[in-house]
């Protein structure tokens, strides 16, 4: 794990994107999630500042890693990709851990992708990850803290 953190730090430094906020995002707490038998190492974005930064400025992310945005209430959530060079897919997840909507998002886009119903969590993964693992709406994400 430390090797990946070091690699991410080096990439940020080389890309000239190494602000204090970006560096703090690398050291977010993590949780091991599962959808069916598929493991996901998720960084946990729990504060408003962490959620606002999200995966901005990241140029790569390992295949089974993602970011879980955790909210304290249920509400319609909207995500966009400003300042995010990675193509991502997002799963909007209700308070019981069930995926209610999946979307694909394009790098650097200001297009809003909304849950269209109240959700408590959003899981961002590399674009195509959910499709590759045949994960669809109605499936449960296990291990959410």
């Amino acid at each position: 794990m430390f090797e990946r953190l070091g690699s991410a730090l080096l990439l940020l430094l080389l890309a000239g994107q190494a602000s204090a906020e970006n560096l703090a995002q690398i050291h977010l707490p993590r949780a091991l999630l599962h959808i069916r038998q598929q493991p996901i190492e998720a960084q946990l974005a729990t504060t408003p500042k962490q959620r606002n930064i999200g995966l901005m400025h990241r140029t790569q992310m390992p295949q089974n890693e993602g970011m879980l945005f955790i909210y304290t209430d249920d509400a319609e959530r909207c995500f966009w990709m400003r300042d995010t060079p990675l193509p991502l897919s997002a799963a909007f997840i209700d308070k019981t851990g069930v995926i209610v909507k999946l979307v694909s998002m394009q790098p650097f886009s200001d297009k809003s992708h909304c849950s269209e119903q109240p959700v408590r969590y959003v899981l961002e993964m590399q674009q195509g990850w959910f499709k590759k693992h045949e994960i669809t709406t109605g499936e449960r994400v296990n291990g959410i803290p």
Side-chain angles (χ1 to χ4, degrees):
M1 179 168 85
F2 291 111
E3 184 176 302
R4 282 185 278 185
L5 292 175
S7 297
L9 175 60
L10 179 61
L11 287 170
L12 285 173
L13 289 169
L14 292 174
Q17 302 290 338
S19 72
E21 290 176 341
N22 294 128
L23 294 176
Q25 288 295 94
I26 294 173
H27 300 290
L28 293 177
R30 293 173 178 257
L32 181 61
L33 309 178
H34 286 87
I35 303 175
R36 287 187 259 124
Q37 300 301 317
Q38 186 62 47
I40 301 163
E41 186 176 337
Q43 297 177 16
L44 306 178
T46 59
T47 68
K49 186 174 185 178
Q50 291 167 345
R51 291 189 300 259
N52 285 337
I53 297 170
L55 292 169
M56 284 182 182
H57 307 293
R58 305 250 187 122
T59 57
Q60 63 178 305
M61 187 167 58
Q63 275 298 313
N64 290 319
E65 284 193 22
M67 181 171 283
L68 182 67
F69 297 78
I70 300 174
Y71 299 88
T72 57
D73 63 337
D74 300 320
E76 182 178 338
R77 309 285 178 206
C78 295
F79 277 58
W80 60 354
M81 296 285 288
R82 180 181 292 163
D83 298 323
T84 307
L86 290 173
L88 299 172
S89 293
F92 293 95
I93 304 164
D94 71 14
K95 66 183 176 186
T96 67
V98 173
I99 298 172
V100 298
K101 184 175 181 180
L102 292 165
V103 297
S104 290
M105 303 182 294
Q106 298 307 310
F108 300 112
S109 173
D110 285 342
K111 180 181 177 186
S112 248
H113 300 272
C114 300
S115 61
E116 300 173 4
Q117 67 185 75
V119 296
R120 178 125 353 143
Y121 313 99
V122 179
L123 176 61
E124 288 184 338
M125 300 293 290
Q126 283 190 22
Q127 191 172 88
W129 187 91
F130 296 103
K131 185 175 182 174
K132 176 182 176 183
H133 297 287
E134 299 178 351
I135 294 167
T136 60
T137 58
E139 299 208 47
R140 183 172 306 279
V141 180
N142 297 300
I144 295 175

